[in-house]
């Protein structure tokens, strides 16, 4: 009957409305921020885009996945102001996208004044500015992720002819670092964007070479990032190996192999090297020493043994953490409170 048909239609509409509301609620709930704890994030595309983090709680170290989509994200960086990762989606006409901690992706639309496809990127700590380039183009672009627009472009000078960037990463002092491929070597470059980028005719950013390391294999690196102790990591597009380096007193250490993973050329990386806040952790100090971090600042490193929260075990599997000040007890028998850099 007409009444029965109307009832069926109402039920169907009600079900559809509930489903739509549930979908919208799920999408909003999925956009959760990351934790600024030095975790090393990497996204790679092999048909489907996979989002993962380097998991130090396992032996051997492995990439643990936290999301999949079709974004083909590249040129990405971690925003310390809101704890989301931003990057360029090569699947949607180079739109800016926002990545959440559970893999949820939000398309923020086309970039005003878009520089086009970008395979290298990072966000300067404490800003909304994503610094990007496209391989050997030797043009540095600054994108404001808050208003989704190109702010400025700079000619890159200082790199050898025929070379280009696979990725780059900011340290906590706002200095940009990159390991550039040179046959079987990594040539390391840095650029303090506050002092080595200048506006003029043309605008320029100067990158300075400070070390070369013979890796013994082709060294294109699509994923580069710092951890919270100031150590630098590279993911090789040639063999899937991740190596760790330290920069001290203007020198580059020998490479330390962290692990060998599935090979994928379509990858990019991001991490937060800022202050993840306070945590309670009684511990026994084994030793202390002073190190020089990238950019020239010095800090104390406390090496200790302790039962740490799971998330800190994952990120700091070697139990070496850097504190902004000595750990103190707030009251007798109270937990020791430490502040990570």
């Amino acid at each position: 009957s007409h009444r029965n048909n109307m009832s069926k239609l109402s039920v169907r509409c009600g079900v559809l409305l509930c489903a739509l509301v549930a979908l919208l609620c799920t999408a909003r709930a999925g956009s959760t921020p990351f934790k600024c704890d030095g975790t090393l994030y990497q996204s790679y595309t092999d048909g489907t885009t996979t989002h993962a983090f380097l998991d130090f709680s396992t032996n051997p170290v492995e990439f643990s996945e936290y999301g999949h989509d079709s974004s083909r994200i590249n040129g990405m960086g971690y925003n310390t102001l809101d704890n989301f990762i931003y990057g360029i989606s090569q699947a949607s006409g180079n739109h800016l996208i926002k990545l959440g901690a559970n893999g949820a992706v939000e398309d923020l639309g086309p970039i005003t004044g878009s520089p086009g496809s970008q395979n290298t990127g990072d966000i300067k700590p404490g800003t909304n500015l994503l610094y990007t380039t496209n391989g050997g183009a030797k043009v540095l672009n600054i994108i404001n992720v808050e208003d989704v627009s190109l702010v400025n472009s700079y000619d890159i000078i200082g790199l050898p002819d025929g070379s280009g960037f696979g990725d780059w990463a900011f340290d906590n002092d706002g200095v940009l670092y990159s390991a550039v491929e040179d046959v079987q070597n990594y040539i390391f470059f840095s650029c303090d964007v506050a002092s080595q980028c200048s506006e003029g005719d043309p605008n320029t950013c100067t990158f300075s070479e400070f070390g070369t390391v013979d890796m013994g294999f082709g060294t294109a690196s699509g994923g580069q990032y710092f951890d919270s102790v100031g150590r630098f990591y590279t993911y090789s597009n040639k063999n899937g190996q991740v190596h760790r380096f330290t920069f001290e007193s203007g020198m580059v250490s020998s490479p330390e192999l962290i692990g060998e993973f599935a090979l994928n050329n379509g990858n990019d990386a991001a991490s937060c090297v800022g202050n993840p806040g306070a945590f309670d952790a009684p511990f026994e100090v084994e030793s202390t020493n002073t190190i020089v971090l990238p950019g020239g600042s010095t800090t104390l490193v406390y090496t200790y043994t302790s039962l740490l929260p799971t998330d800190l075990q994952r990120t700091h599997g070697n139990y070496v953490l850097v504190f902004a000040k000595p750990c103190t007890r707030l009251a007798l028998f109270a937990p020791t409170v430490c502040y990570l850099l």
Side-chain angles (χ1 to χ4, degrees):
S1 68
H2 176 71
R3 179 175 295 177
N4 288 338
N5 288 338
M6 288 298 293
S7 297
K8 292 177 181 177
L9 180 60
S10 298
V11 169
R12 289 171 182 165
C13 289
V15 171
L16 180 61
L17 179 60
C18 289
L20 180 59
V21 169
L23 178 62
L24 290 175
C25 290
T26 300
R28 289 173 182 169
S31 299
T32 55
F34 294 91
K35 293 176 65 177
C36 180
D37 59 5
T39 298
L40 309 179
Y41 296 101
Q42 188 147 332
S43 297
Y44 48 92
T45 299
D46 184 9
T48 299
T49 299
T50 298
H51 307 293
F53 62 88
L54 202 56
D55 192 344
F56 285 94
S57 69
T58 61
N59 186 15
V61 175
E62 65 181 28
F63 277 111
S64 293
E65 299 176 5
Y66 67 93
H68 302 84
D69 56 55
S70 58
S71 63
R72 293 174 57 205
I73 188 173
N74 219 320
M76 68 188 201
Y78 189 109
N79 190 345
T80 60
L81 297 182
D82 63 6
N83 290 313
F84 286 95
I85 289 174
Y86 293 81
I88 312 298
S89 171
Q90 297 179 338
S92 61
N94 300 316
H95 285 200
L96 185 70
I97 59 174
K98 179 179 177 181
L99 175 62
N102 72 337
V105 170
E106 181 181 353
D107 188 335
L108 301 179
I111 301 166
T112 303
S114 173
S117 178
Q118 305 286 281
N119 72 329
T120 293
D122 201 12
I123 294 179
K124 184 180 180 182
T127 76
N128 287 307
L129 302 179
L130 175 64
Y131 286 66
T132 69
T133 190
N134 185 26
K138 296 186 180 177
V139 176
L140 182 151
N141 301 293
I142 302 178
I143 298 167
N144 188 320
V145 300
E146 189 174 33
D147 61 16
V148 195
S149 66
L150 178 66
V151 176
N152 216 335
S153 296
Y154 297 79
D155 289 347
I156 294 172
I157 58 177
L159 261 66
D161 292 341
S163 64
F165 297 99
D167 198 14
W168 55 34
F170 276 107
D171 72 356
N172 205 31
D173 294 323
V175 179
L176 200 54
Y177 288 85
S178 183
V180 174
E181 177 185 18
D182 178 41
V183 191
Q184 296 191 69
N185 300 321
Y186 278 139
I187 304 179
F188 289 85
F189 289 87
S190 67
C191 175
D192 185 343
V193 296
S195 62
Q196 293 181 282
C197 291
S198 59
E199 296 185 14
D201 187 17
N203 298 336
T204 60
C205 285
T206 301
F207 281 75
S208 303
E209 179 182 340
F210 66 96
T212 300
V213 175
D214 184 354
M215 300 298 293
F217 57 82
T219 51
S221 174
Q224 301 179 21
Y225 27 40
F226 279 99
D227 65 16
S228 60
V229 191
R231 297 172 298 189
F232 186 78
Y233 295 72
T234 60
Y235 172 91
S236 171
N237 290 10
K238 301 295 185 180
N239 57 18
Q241 291 183 354
V242 173
H243 287 86
R244 179 164 59 199
F245 304 84
T246 57
F247 303 151
E248 293 189 34
S249 303
M251 303 291 290
V252 183
S253 70
S254 298
E256 178 185 357
L257 179 63
I258 300 301
E260 188 165 346
F261 309 96
L263 179 63
N264 197 293
N265 290 334
N267 65 87
D268 203 33
S271 64
C272 179
V273 295
N275 185 356
F279 66 94
D280 293 337
F283 63 91
E284 179 181 355
V285 174
E286 293 181 352
S287 63
T288 63
N289 66 296
T290 301
I291 64 171
V292 180
L293 295 177
S297 61
T298 60
T299 189
L300 281 177
V301 175
Y302 287 71
T303 305
Y304 67 95
T305 55
S306 174
L307 290 177
L308 292 175
T310 302
D311 59 341
L312 290 177
Q313 287 182 6
R314 182 190 73 208
T315 306
H316 306 283
N318 57 355
Y319 304 112
V320 177
L321 296 176
V322 179
F323 301 115
K325 54 186 176 183
C327 300
T328 58
R329 289 188 182 275
L330 302 180
L332 188 63
F333 304 120
T336 302
V337 178
C338 306
Y339 295 86
L340 282 169
L341 281 178

